[in-house]
């Protein structure tokens, strides 16, 4: 199991995402974490589910390997609940916007729901 | 879908065209085979379907290999080797902002993809090969045969002749051959095409196979007409840990034939998830047309040996007629075509147009139409809806157009009229399927538009009958006024009353009515 030296805070998530630091991002998740993604290709009745830290790490590796810019604009925290919004831009100018809701367990992300939309 | 824009990457001074499609979390680069033009390929429904399937779970990066399509040409005296083509893939990834991508190498694109995976493992997430080979001369054809093929390719370039090599079963589809010729012309010049084919002989990346350290999936259609399946079996043996999946089919291009089978395997391999049923089955109207022979009128006057000629003309004429009605058609046998339409009314009006086209050529055709959910796979139509349409067509003896009543009920508002034609016996314990035929205009008119009304001339006054007789003779109101010694205004009133009492729309209708009553 990976150990995290960075506590999961809004600032830490912002730093990791904006620096495309997939390894740090993966370290924020609990072993059994689940990330659900809802977008045009993955409608609410059939969201894409990524289960387990290994799969989530691979997901963030893919995202972070892209030479795109990410800005985390708003982060909110309320007990073991967190939320943040993220605006991303591809090299060709296409934009993606997503909002993520997180539930923490023992300081680690146990559940994440991402709703995203992009330039069509 | 966002408008797909073609962009250019720079690789060693050459410009390589690419497009990005989709927004999935992982990047996938499709390195296509020969011939390629990433703007023209989109016109093919199979290619569009493959891209749609892949772009649903990834960001798909499409490219034209150097020397083809929108990318810079090659120096035919000094063509790029596989290493150069691998570097082109990396240049496209850089331009698209992709740090790490899965590479799909199809046909001759497989060698470049394998080399890229071996040379830059940190940039390659996974490798998928389709119809590929490590060494052309060892796996596909010898140098002499290649030389002959290159020379034949140059000679017939732009006519669609290479389709017969890559997908022989589809080479009977004249519309496709025509389009393929366009793809050839817009992918390379004849000289460049011959040089590209000639380059295959130099492709040999067998030494690199053991150093491929990324997960690899090797796909090959067992009946592949261009590259024997043994070639991929050798790849799977040579690449450490590679998984071989043999798919049914004989089409060589990845975007032809059973595209879904290839897309399913790729999606499962790259995402680790079994693709869910696509859920994009669609309601469509299917038309099956069979040519029964020459119509009896033509048979008396035209020698039978002209049948083949007429058939050729009709085979060429059918696809554009279907396309004009918003459908997509294929000849599945020399005398049988299948077409699908987004709506039953279009299928029905197209059937009427096809019957006229066939009649103008002296051909007798039977047509059947049914509606239902079909798999949107753009290749061969199949499934229960087609089977029923086929049985309906088989029931017809021409030139009647038969529809299931279900289809006819979706046509309301189109102006078409139908007459009952019994029922098709049910199969698999299903109820019999009621059939109808499109009523011809000749039958329609008396029933609906100009049916003689139960006109009661007794309702007219003697003066009105006099006016009626003169209207029927074609006289104008001023003439009638003079003949009967009335004012024109009074004649107008009489005519208006006649129309009202007989419930007729116009003087012409009045004249028609009078003429029918006078007829023997």
């Amino acid at each position: 199991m990976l150990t995290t030296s960075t506590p999961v805070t809004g600032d830490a998530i912002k730093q990791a995402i904006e620096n495309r630091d997939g390894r740090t991002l993966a370290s924020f998740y609990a072993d059994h974490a689940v990330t659900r993604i809802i977008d045009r290709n993955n409608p609410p009745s059939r969201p894409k589910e990524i289960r387990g830290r290994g799969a989530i790490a691979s997901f963030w590796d893919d995202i972070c390997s892209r030479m795109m810019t990410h800005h985390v604009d708003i982060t909110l925290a309320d007990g073991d609940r967190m939320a943040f919004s993220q605006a991303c831009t591809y090299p060709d100018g296409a934009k993606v916007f997503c909002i993520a809701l997180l539930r923490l367990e023992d300081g680690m992300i146990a559940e994440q729901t991402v709703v995203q939309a992009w330039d069509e | 879908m966002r408008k797909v824009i073609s962009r250019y990457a720079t690789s060693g001074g050459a410009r390589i065209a690419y497009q990005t499609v989709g927004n999935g979390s992982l990047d996938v680069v499709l390195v296509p085979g020969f011939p390629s033009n990433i703007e023209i390929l989109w016109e093919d429904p199979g290619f569009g379907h493959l891209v749609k399937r892949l772009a649903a779970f990834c960001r798909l990066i499409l490219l034209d290999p150097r020397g083809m399509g929108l990318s810079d040409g090659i120096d035919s005296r000094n063509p790029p080797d596989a290493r150069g083509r691998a570097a082109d893939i990396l240049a496209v990834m850089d331009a698209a902002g992709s740090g790490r991508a899965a590479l799909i190498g199809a046909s001759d694109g497989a060698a470049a993809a394998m080399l890229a995976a071996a040379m830059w493992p940190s940039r390659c997430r996974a490798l998928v090969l389709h119809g590929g080979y490590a060494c052309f001369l060892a796996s596909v054809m010898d140098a002499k045969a290649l030389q002959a093929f290159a020379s034949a390719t140059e000679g017939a370039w732009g006519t669609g002749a290479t389709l017969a090599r890559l997908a022989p079963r589809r080479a009977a589809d004249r519309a496709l051959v025509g389009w393929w010729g366009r793809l050839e012309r817009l992918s390379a010049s004849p000289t460049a095409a011959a040089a590209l084919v000639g380059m295959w002989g130099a492709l040999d990346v067998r030494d690199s196979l053991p150093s491929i350290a990324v997960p690899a999936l090797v796909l090959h259609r067992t009946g592949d007409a261009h590259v024997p399946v043994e070639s991929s079996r050798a790849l799977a043996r040579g690449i450490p840990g590679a998984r071989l999946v043999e798919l049914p089919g004989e089409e060589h291009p990845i975007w032809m034939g059973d595209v879904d089978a290839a897309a399913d395997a790729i999606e499962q391999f790259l995402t680790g998830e079994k693709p869910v049923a696509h859920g994009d089955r669609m309601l469509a109207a299917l038309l099956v047309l069979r040519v029964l022979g020459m119509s009896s009128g033509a048979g008396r006057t035209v020698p039978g040996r002209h049948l083949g000629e007429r058939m050729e003309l009709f085979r060429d004429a059918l696809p554009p007629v279907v396309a004009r009605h918003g459908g997509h058609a294929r000849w599945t046998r020399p005398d049988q075509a299948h077409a699908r339409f987004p709506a039953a009314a279009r299928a029905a009006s197209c059937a009427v147009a096809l019957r006229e086209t066939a009649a103008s050529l002296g051909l007798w055709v039977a047509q059947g139409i049914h509606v239902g959910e079909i798999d949107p796979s753009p290749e061969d139509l199949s499934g229960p809806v087609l089977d029923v349409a086929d049985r309906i067509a088989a029931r017809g003896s021409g030139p009647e157009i038969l529809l299931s009543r279900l289809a006819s009920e979706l046509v309301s508002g189109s102006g078409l009229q139908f007459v009952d034609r019994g029922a098709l016996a049910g199969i698999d314990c299903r109820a019999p399927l009621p059939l109808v035929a499109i009523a011809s205009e000749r039958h329609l008119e008396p029933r609906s538009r100009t049916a003689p009304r139960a006109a009661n001339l007794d309702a007219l006054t003697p003066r009105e009958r006099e006016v009626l007789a003169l209207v029927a003779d074609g006289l104008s109101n001023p003439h009638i006024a003079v003949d009967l010694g009335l004012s024109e205004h009074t004649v107008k009133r009489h005519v208006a009353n006649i129309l009202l009492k007989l419930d007729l729309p116009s003087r012409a209708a009045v004249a028609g009515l009078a003429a029918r009553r006078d007829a023997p």
Side-chain angles (χ1 to χ4, degrees):
Chain A
M1 170 180 160
L2 291 167
T3 53
T4 172
S5 54
T6 315
V8 182
T9 63
D11 268 354
I13 289 174
K14 178 180 166 69
Q15 285 298 318
I17 289 178
E18 293 187 352
N19 292 323
R20 292 172 33 208
D21 182 351
R23 182 175 289 263
T24 302
L25 279 165
S27 75
F28 293 159
Y29 290 80
D31 287 345
H32 60 280
V34 179
T35 292
R36 287 187 193 86
I37 298 173
I38 296 169
D39 56 28
R40 205 186 79 150
N41 295 331
N42 303 284
S45 59
R46 195 160 37 86
K48 179 181 172 68
E49 286 195 344
I50 308 169
R51 294 182 171 273
R53 180 155 56 185
I56 292 170
S58 168
F59 165 76
W60 278 115
D61 273 353
D62 283 328
I63 298 287
C64 292
S65 72
R66 283 185 186 155
M67 290 162 243
M68 60 195 297
T69 59
H70 305 279
H71 288 289
V72 175
D73 300 320
I74 300 168
T75 58
L76 301 170
D78 178 14
D80 61 357
R81 305 262 171 188
M82 290 181 66
F84 64 89
S85 69
Q86 183 181 348
C88 317
T89 309
Y90 280 102
D92 67 3
K95 291 186 187 307
V96 184
F97 186 84
C98 46
I99 290 179
L101 298 170
L102 312 175
R103 187 175 63 76
L104 306 185
E105 268 176 23
D106 304 326
M108 308 282 274
I109 301 170
E111 250 184 275
Q112 177 180 21
T113 302
V114 177
V115 179
Q116 61 180 4
W118 47 72
D119 285 343
E120 296 273 357
Chain B
M1 191 179 276
R2 190 161 59 101
K3 188 173 182 298
V4 177
I5 299 168
S6 297
R7 300 170 192 279
Y8 298 93
T10 303
S11 175
R15 308 301 296 266
I16 308 297
Y18 73 95
Q19 299 172 338
T20 59
V21 196
N23 289 274
S25 59
L26 70 139
D27 288 345
V28 175
V29 182
L30 176 61
V31 188
F34 166 95
S36 174
N37 180 314
I38 44 174
E39 294 203 350
I40 304 302
L41 280 172
W42 278 94
E43 296 170 2
D44 181 81
F47 182 83
H49 186 63
L50 176 69
V51 170
K52 185 181 161 203
R53 284 290 317 273
L54 298 178
F57 67 86
C58 71
R59 180 173 71 129
L60 183 64
I61 302 169
L62 302 166
L63 65 89
D64 267 337
R66 190 189 291 232
M68 275 194 275
L70 280 60
S71 293
D72 269 353
I74 53 166
D75 177 355
S76 54
R77 286 157 304 180
N78 184 25
D81 56 9
R83 186 174 281 263
R85 294 182 61 174
D88 291 346
I89 298 172
L90 211 66
V92 166
M93 286 173 61
D94 288 343
S98 175
R100 204 170 67 118
L103 306 181
I104 303 176
S107 185
D108 47 304
M114 285 187 279
L115 212 51
M119 291 165 69
W120 300 288
S122 66
R123 301 290 303 272
C124 181
R125 188 187 192 276
L127 180 66
V128 178
L129 307 171
H130 185 280
Y133 48 82
C135 174
F136 185 85
L137 294 179
S139 300
V140 187
M141 58 174 83
D142 62 25
K144 198 174 165 195
L146 176 63
Q147 197 178 6
F149 181 63
S151 150
T153 298
E154 184 172 7
W157 191 247
T159 63
T162 56
L163 180 63
R165 167 82 197 172
L166 302 177
R169 199 168 59 88
R170 302 290 305 277
D173 183 340
R174 282 164 171 265
L176 182 66
V177 173
W179 177 81
W180 192 272
R182 190 168 118 77
L183 172 65
E184 286 178 346
R185 295 189 295 276
L186 294 173
S187 73
S189 65
T191 315
L196 286 165
V197 169
M199 274 166 51
W200 294 344
L203 280 179
D204 186 357
V205 299
R206 285 176 290 188
D207 290 348
S208 301
L209 300 188
S211 52
I212 295 174
V214 299
L217 172 69
V218 182
L219 301 174
H220 210 114
R221 296 196 176 115
T222 49
D224 190 318
H226 179 48
V227 179
V229 66
E230 181 50 44
S231 161
S232 278
R233 291 177 186 150
L235 288 179
R237 286 193 297 271
I239 300 171
R243 209 175 125 227
L244 173 70
V245 175
E246 295 182 13
L247 302 168
E250 65 172 26
E251 290 85 353
H252 177 68
I254 183 173
W255 46 272
M256 295 180 90
D258 189 353
V259 168
D260 278 315
D264 283 348
I266 294 171
E267 182 175 352
Q268 188 166 4
F269 174 67
L270 294 181
T271 66
E273 291 165 22
K274 209 173 169 63
V276 290
H278 316 132
D280 54 359
R281 288 176 69 81
M282 57 187 225
L283 184 65
L286 300 189
L287 166 69
V288 173
L289 176 144
R290 289 177 173 189
V291 180
L292 303 175
M294 284 199 289
S295 52
S296 53
R300 281 197 296 273
T301 55
V302 181
R305 67 171 179 274
H306 288 172
L307 175 63
E309 211 170 287
R310 285 154 190 273
M311 279 299 302
E312 284 298 298
L313 289 169
F314 188 55
R315 284 170 63 82
D316 285 346
L318 179 134
V321 172
V322 172
R324 250 198 329 273
H325 288 82
H328 182 73
R330 276 193 59 192
W331 285 94
T332 52
R333 287 201 320 239
D335 60 347
Q336 178 175 288
H338 291 163
R340 72 163 197 243
F341 297 85
R346 292 191 187 197
S349 52
C350 181
V352 173
L354 288 173
R355 180 172 60 185
E356 284 169 11
T357 306
S360 71
L361 292 167
L363 293 174
W364 197 252
V365 293
Q367 299 181 81
I369 296 171
H370 188 46
V371 291
E373 282 214 329
I374 63 159
D375 188 328
S377 173
E379 298 287 342
D380 282 337
L381 288 169
S382 59
V385 184
L386 183 72
D387 294 344
V388 172
D390 203 36
R391 289 177 61 213
I392 295 173
R395 173 79 169 263
S397 53
E400 261 193 346
I401 298 160
L402 293 177
L403 298 83
S404 60
R405 183 177 288 160
L406 182 64
S408 72
E409 283 168 359
L410 296 174
V411 178
S412 68
S414 68
L416 292 168
Q417 299 281 323
F418 303 97
V419 288
D420 285 337
R421 282 291 180 268
L424 201 63
I427 43 174
D428 296 341
C429 305
R430 293 190 186 172
L433 187 71
L435 298 183
V436 297
I438 296 180
S440 72
E441 286 293 309
R442 198 173 61 248
H443 293 143
L444 258 181
E445 289 198 354
R447 280 188 206 166
S448 60
R449 292 188 209 147
T450 54
R453 292 163 195 276
N456 183 3
L457 296 191
D458 296 344
L460 304 182
T461 64
R463 180 61 103 186
E464 283 166 353
R465 279 183 226 169
E466 282 178 321
V467 173
L468 171 69
L470 296 175
V471 167
D473 284 346
L475 267 56
S476 65
N477 283 353
H479 271 106
I480 297 170
V482 171
D483 272 16
L484 298 181
L486 299 170
S487 78
E488 195 179 332
H489 176 72
T490 307
V491 173
K492 275 188 187 169
R493 289 295 305 270
H494 283 311
V495 172
N497 283 338
I498 292 166
L499 295 179
L500 198 65
K501 286 180 179 175
L502 300 184
D503 190 23
L504 289 171
S506 64
R507 297 168 71 91
V510 170
L513 173 67
R516 280 196 296 276
R517 289 183 69 87
D518 292 344

